């Protein structure tokens, strides 16, 4: 998983997005993101704002059979612009001085098949995280997955 499960906070997220079918084989997406966390045990994480861009290429894609290659990239930049606050401490000491910036990149390549009318895919993904707090732990992750298409 991504970081400690004990330091997770419920959040309200607003993320308007737009998709553009740039060509038959390329879809481009972009989104603005705003996160506000809900106070828990008198601790209130600071609000965050971010920008996301994604690209999905389909190579040799047969829409009728739902088979072919899909290659995608996603880039996310996010910044905490409001310091977190520990309300258990006196007001002069309650600010956490944790404003930060972080980015995340994800790359994905998958091959989709249609066998006996059942579409499924197998893929490989790679993620790069750079940052310091709440979902932006520094590191890399490599994964293999199977996917059943509806």
């Amino acid at each position: 998983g991504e970081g400690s499960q004990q330091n997770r906070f419920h959040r309200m997220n607003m993320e308007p997005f737009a998709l553009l079918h740039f060509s038959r084989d390329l879809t481009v997406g972009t989104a603005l993101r705003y996160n506000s966390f809900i106070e828990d045990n008198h601790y209130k994480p600071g609000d965050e704002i971010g920008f996301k861009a994604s690209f999905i290429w389909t190579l040799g894609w047969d829409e009728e059979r739902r088979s072919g290659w899909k290659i995608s990239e996603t880039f996310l930049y996010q910044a905490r612009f409001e310091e977190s606050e520990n309300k258990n401490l006196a007001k002069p000491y309650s600010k956490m001085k944790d404003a930060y910036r972080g980015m995340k990149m994800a790359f994905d390549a998958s091959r989709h098949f249609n066998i006996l009318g059942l579409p499924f895919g197998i893929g490989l993904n790679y993620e790069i995280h750079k940052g310091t707090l709440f979902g932006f732990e520094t590191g890399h992750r490599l994964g293999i997955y199977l996917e059943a298409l509806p």
Side-chain angles (χ1 to χ4, degrees):
E2 293 183 39
S4 170
Q5 296 298 313
Q6 295 177 2
N7 292 324
R8 298 291 176 144
F9 292 85
H10 295 288
R11 74 177 93 190
M12 294 190 313
N13 179 303
M14 187 170 28
E15 191 166 340
F17 67 92
L19 283 177
L20 172 65
H21 296 284
F22 195 73
S23 72
R24 183 177 152 250
D25 296 327
L26 175 61
T27 302
V28 177
T30 186
L32 293 175
R33 169 185 277 195
Y34 177 79
N35 292 327
S36 182
F37 295 88
I38 298 171
E39 183 177 326
D40 187 21
N41 292 327
H42 304 291
Y43 181 80
K44 169 70 170 78
D47 290 352
E48 301 170 342
I49 193 164
F51 172 78
K52 185 189 307 186
S54 58
F55 307 90
I56 301 172
W57 282 276
T58 53
L59 305 171
W61 188 257
D62 181 342
E63 189 62 43
E64 187 176 310
R65 294 179 47 84
R66 304 206 48 163
S67 63
W69 287 92
K70 283 189 180 180
I71 300 172
S72 68
E73 291 88 26
T74 302
F75 305 94
L76 171 65
Y77 174 81
Q78 193 159 302
R80 172 166 292 153
F81 63 91
E82 177 184 62
E83 290 183 27
S84 299
E85 189 174 0
N86 183 344
K87 296 181 178 181
N88 293 311
L89 300 174
K91 188 73 173 163
Y93 308 105
S94 66
K95 293 292 184 183
M96 302 300 292
K97 295 184 171 100
D98 63 349
Y100 74 97
R101 298 182 295 235
M103 63 108 180
K104 178 178 177 179
M105 292 187 288
F107 304 94
D108 186 281
S110 60
R111 176 67 169 110
H112 298 268
F113 303 93
N114 188 317
I115 298 178
L116 301 173
L118 300 171
F120 71 96
I122 185 168
L124 180 68
N125 59 21
Y126 174 65
E127 290 186 13
I128 302 168
H129 302 265
K130 183 170 172 73
T132 57
L133 200 59
F134 298 116
F136 280 96
E137 294 85 5
T138 301
H140 302 268
R141 181 170 57 190
L142 183 64
I144 298 173
Y145 64 91
L146 290 173
E147 176 178 51
L149 301 175

